[in-house]
Amino acid sequence: ITFAARDSDYDGHDIKKGEILAMDNGKLSFVEKDVTKALLKLLRSLAKKADGNFMTVVYGIDVTDEQAEEAKALLESKFSDFEVNFISGGQPVYYYIVSVE
């Protein structure tokens, strides 16, 4: 989950600067206005394809520990069949890097 640095048109998506971009294996999956909504939507999509029951979310430098805790609580309530793990990665540019297995 990252953000658009400028206005663009990519892969059929009209993107405005600052919008949230959800990438799935390097491809733009969708554009969203809210980071948490994007995280939830992307993980719903990935969970449908997953054979396992683990979610790992690495949060970046632009996500506070409080925001990460709130997101984790939301995901745990929505994905009760999954073990949800959050890790502070401190990465720039990407709010979240996720894995579902």
Side-chain angles (χ1 to χ4, degrees):
I1 307 283
T2 188
F3 62 93
R6 64 184 180 285
D7 290 354
S8 64
D9 182 26
Y10 180 77
D11 203 23
H13 297 274
D14 184 28
I15 302 167
K16 302 294 180 211
K17 181 179 179 178
E19 287 185 317
I20 306 305
L21 308 176
M23 310 293 287
D24 183 352
N25 285 320
K27 291 186 172 187
L28 179 61
S29 183
F30 61 87
V31 178
E32 178 61 63
K33 297 204 182 294
D34 181 83
V35 174
T36 303
K37 285 181 184 178
L39 177 64
L40 179 60
K41 186 175 178 180
L42 182 61
L43 285 171
R44 275 190 180 133
S45 173
L46 295 175
K48 288 178 184 177
K49 301 183 245 180
D51 289 332
N53 58 348
F54 294 97
M55 287 183 178
T56 302
V57 179
V58 181
Y59 62 98
I61 196 166
D62 292 322
V63 177
T64 67
D65 290 338
E66 292 162 345
Q67 289 169 321
E69 286 297 321
E70 289 174 9
K72 182 179 182 192
L74 173 67
L75 296 178
E76 288 175 335
S77 73
K78 298 290 184 183
F79 300 101
S80 58
D81 292 345
F82 284 84
E83 181 180 320
V84 179
N85 296 295
F86 267 61
I87 300 166
S88 174
Q91 71 273 8
V93 182
Y94 290 91
Y95 295 107
Y96 297 105
I97 299 172
V98 301
S99 172
V100 179
E101 48 193 315

